[in-house]
């Protein structure tokens, strides 16, 4: 029986993970859940999965949750960042699914590693912001970090049983998002609801917008660098609109391995929980005849400059990726609030990157400072833009 903690249980990955757990009660048990403000869903999850402890974002929400729960419920309720750390390091868990969206996932993931938990990593910001610190700590603690992000799970699977020196490069696939065939002029007019209509994957708002701008792929390039210990220059991106090939690796003899399947996050989630074993699921099998042609195209960095910016930040290293990520989070929020246009996103991030003096081999404190600096600066830039 594997004992599981989920950070971000009411988000898209958290809900899919609980579905995998529910269908395999003989294998998995939920120990602890951390959510934000969605107490309606968290209450249902508590009643169904009976975790020992949960956490929510504030004391007020914790009180509301206690009120909503049956008086007999024994679950302990924590709140705020301290509560989140409590959940992340909860002693009896074997593995922590790190699925909080955005930079908020970094500190609790580090706490889980510190506590010696294996990590099923869905929060890419953990690696983007602090890849060096995280990977070093994981080695020191003897902790496995197993990717949940579909592309990285694909690469992880392709590299199974291979000799590391034989790897030539990693190729991340990208669907291209809803605006793949839009002209620059069309891109300047897109609205939020169009941006949220991802052709293949059902995900949270932030990552769906990042997919449309290709920032998501950019962040994934940096994530891959740390997860697989490869240079940024050995990571390529291919547009693959069908999202059937989830990523590929090339070895020095020219052999390629690709991992394929229907686009459904339950597959990489289950693999991260059972690795190296696999379990049966109730998903339809991939029908390659019905799928038809599989296309592969070169990404258009002129049309989607976020990808180029992420490569630049990744190559620069230090705190540059931290700043890029923070600027993206703030800018995407502003886009959701209708304050800026979709095509403003890369311009804002380029400005912030240009203003930042990257610190090499940053400490955790340097990282958090750079994150804060970039948030403030981005907000200022956006305010100036709209006034
Ligand atoms: Mg992905």
């Amino acid at each position: 029986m594997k004992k599981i903690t989920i950070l971000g249980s009411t988000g898209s990955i958290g809900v899919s993970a609980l579905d995998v757990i529910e269908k395999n009660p003989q294998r998995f048990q939920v120990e602890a859940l951390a959510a934000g403000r969605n107490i309606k869903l968290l209450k249902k999850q508590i009643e169904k999965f009976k975790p020992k402890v949960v956490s929510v974002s504030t004391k007020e929400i914790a009180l509301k949750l206690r009120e909503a729960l049956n008086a007999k419920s024994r679950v302990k309720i924590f709140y705020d960042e301290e509560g989140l750390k409590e959940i992340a390091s909860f002693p009896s868990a074997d593995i922590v699914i790190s699925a909080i969206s955005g930079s908020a996932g970094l500190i609790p993931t580090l706490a889980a590693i510190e506590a010696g938990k294996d990590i099923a990593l869905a929060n890419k910001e953990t690696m983007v912001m602090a890849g060096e610190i995280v990977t070093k700590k994981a080695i020191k603690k003897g902790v496995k970090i197993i990717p949940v992000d579909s592309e990285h799970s694909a690469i992880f699977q392709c590299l199974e049983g291979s000799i590391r020196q034989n790897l030539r490069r990693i190729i991340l696939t990208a669907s291209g998002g809803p605006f793949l065939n839009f002209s620059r002029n069309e891109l300047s007019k897109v609205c939020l609801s169009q941006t949220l209509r991802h052709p293949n994957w059902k995900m949270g708002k932030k990552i769906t917008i990042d997919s449309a701008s290709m920032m998501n792929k950019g962040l994934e390039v940096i994530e891959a660098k740390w997860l697989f210990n490869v240079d940024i220059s050995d990571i390529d991106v291919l547009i693959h609109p069908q999202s059937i090939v989830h990523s590929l690796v090339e070895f020095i003899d020219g052999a390629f391995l690709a991992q394929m399947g229907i686009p459904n996050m339950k597959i990489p989630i289950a693999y991260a929980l059972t690795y190296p074993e696999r379990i049966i699921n109730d998903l339809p099998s991939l029908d390659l005849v019905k799928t038809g042609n599989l296309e592969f195209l070169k990404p258009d960095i002129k049309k989607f400059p976020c990808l180029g910016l992420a490569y630049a930040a990744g190559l620069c290293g230090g705190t540059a990726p931290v700043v890029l990520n923070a600027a993206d989070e703030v800018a995407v929020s502003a886009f959701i609030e209708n304050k800026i246009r979709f095509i403003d996103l890369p311009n804002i991030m380029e400005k912030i990157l240009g203003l930042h003096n990257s610190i090499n081999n940053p400490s955790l404190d340097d990282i958090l400072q750079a994150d804060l600096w970039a948030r403030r600066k981005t907000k200022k830039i956006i305010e100036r833009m709209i006034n």
Side-chain angles (χ1 to χ4, degrees):
M1 184 72 91
K2 212 168 227 179
K3 294 180 175 169
I4 297 170
T5 290
I6 305 178
L7 307 178
S9 69
T10 54
S12 163
I13 296 286
V15 168
S16 292
L18 284 170
D19 192 59
V20 171
I21 291 167
E22 189 185 358
K23 291 188 173 122
N24 296 278
Q26 72 296 348
R27 272 183 174 267
F28 305 126
Q29 181 183 318
V30 174
E31 287 298 286
L33 297 175
R37 350 190 99 243
N38 188 350
I39 43 176
K40 206 173 149 199
L41 180 54
L42 181 60
K43 177 180 180 267
K44 279 189 196 153
Q45 294 177 342
I46 292 169
E47 286 162 357
K48 192 183 269 179
F49 296 97
K50 307 206 164 33
K52 297 189 177 80
V53 291
V54 298
S55 86
V56 290
S57 55
T58 64
K59 187 174 180 180
E60 198 195 341
I61 293 173
L63 290 170
K64 272 191 194 156
L65 176 65
R66 179 52 75 197
E67 235 170 71
L69 285 169
N70 187 309
K72 279 187 217 150
S73 172
R74 288 270 177 80
V75 69
K76 260 192 175 178
I77 305 172
F78 294 94
Y79 57 87
D80 74 26
E81 276 113 73
E82 282 312 304
L84 194 51
K85 274 198 219 169
E86 200 75 44
I87 300 298
S89 53
F90 190 66
S92 57
D94 303 309
I95 185 163
V96 172
I97 303 177
S98 168
I100 290 176
S101 165
S103 54
L106 171 61
I107 299 293
T109 308
L110 275 170
I113 296 171
E114 186 65 43
K117 312 293 177 194
D118 284 336
I119 307 290
L121 187 68
N123 174 267
K124 54 182 64 103
E125 291 79 0
T126 295
M127 286 299 182
V128 170
M129 294 174 74
E132 190 163 7
I133 291 174
V134 169
T135 44
K136 274 190 184 152
K137 198 187 262 295
I139 291 168
K140 195 175 144 205
K141 291 281 170 182
V143 154
K144 283 199 277 292
I145 298 181
I146 307 157
V148 169
D149 208 344
S150 63
E151 297 80 359
H152 303 76
S153 175
I155 292 160
F156 185 77
Q157 294 177 57
C158 290
L159 289 175
E160 268 295 281
S162 66
I163 294 169
R164 251 334 277 276
Q165 292 86 331
N166 291 351
L167 177 67
R168 180 179 283 163
R169 63 179 177 134
I170 281 173
I171 303 154
L172 295 172
T173 54
S175 69
F179 307 139
L180 176 60
N181 298 314
F182 277 43
S183 67
R184 260 208 84 80
N185 185 36
E186 286 172 311
L187 271 183
S188 67
K189 292 174 200 152
V190 300
C191 65
L192 179 63
S193 65
Q194 280 172 291
T195 313
L196 291 175
R197 242 174 270 142
H198 195 279
N200 306 334
W201 295 96
K202 222 180 147 279
M203 307 175 287
K205 263 188 196 171
K206 161 74 168 51
I207 186 171
T208 305
I209 295 167
D210 278 349
S211 294
S213 71
M214 291 213 61
M215 179 52 88
N216 182 54
K217 207 52 50 183
L219 298 176
E220 286 181 354
V221 168
I222 303 170
E223 181 188 11
K225 167 190 158 76
W226 293 110
L227 274 173
F228 306 110
N229 190 22
V230 288
D231 292 337
I232 293 280
S233 54
D234 293 331
I235 306 170
D236 290 328
V237 170
L238 261 186
I239 304 289
H240 168 48
Q242 293 78 20
S243 296
I244 296 297
V245 175
H246 298 310
S247 275
L248 316 90
V249 298
E250 183 185 356
F251 293 104
I252 50 171
D253 59 355
F256 278 62
L257 288 186
Q259 189 263 338
M260 302 164 79
I262 59 164
N264 190 308
M265 287 309 295
K266 284 176 201 166
I267 298 173
I269 290 168
Y271 189 67
L273 295 179
T274 60
Y275 165 80
E277 280 181 66
R278 293 180 187 271
I279 49 172
I280 295 167
N281 59 41
D282 55 4
L283 298 170
S285 177
L286 169 63
D287 185 336
L288 281 170
V289 175
K290 269 196 196 144
T291 305
N293 288 339
L294 298 181
E295 299 167 281
F296 298 93
L297 315 154
K298 199 177 144 94
D300 184 344
I301 292 190
K302 276 206 188 114
K303 214 162 72 178
F304 298 102
C306 289
L307 182 60
L309 290 172
Y311 264 101
L315 280 169
C316 173
T319 46
V322 179
V323 163
L324 177 79
N325 177 67
D328 181 52
E329 285 187 15
V330 174
V332 166
S333 295
F335 175 63
I336 291 172
E337 290 163 24
N338 236 327
K339 287 182 181 164
I340 58 168
R341 295 170 305 168
F342 181 76
I343 51 157
D344 294 328
L345 295 169
N347 299 336
I348 292 166
M349 281 174 263
E350 190 173 7
K351 249 183 219 159
I352 297 287
L353 271 179
L355 289 169
H356 180 60
N357 293 316
S358 176
I359 300 167
N360 281 329
N361 304 106
S363 66
L364 186 58
D365 198 48
D366 294 331
I367 288 168
L368 298 177
Q369 288 301 325
D371 177 79
L372 209 63
W373 173 86
R375 278 167 204 280
R376 287 200 189 119
K377 206 84 193 165
T378 311
K379 276 182 196 150
K380 263 191 203 156
I381 287 179
I382 292 172
E383 266 161 38
R384 237 179 279 146
M385 277 173 68
I386 54 181
N387 288 323

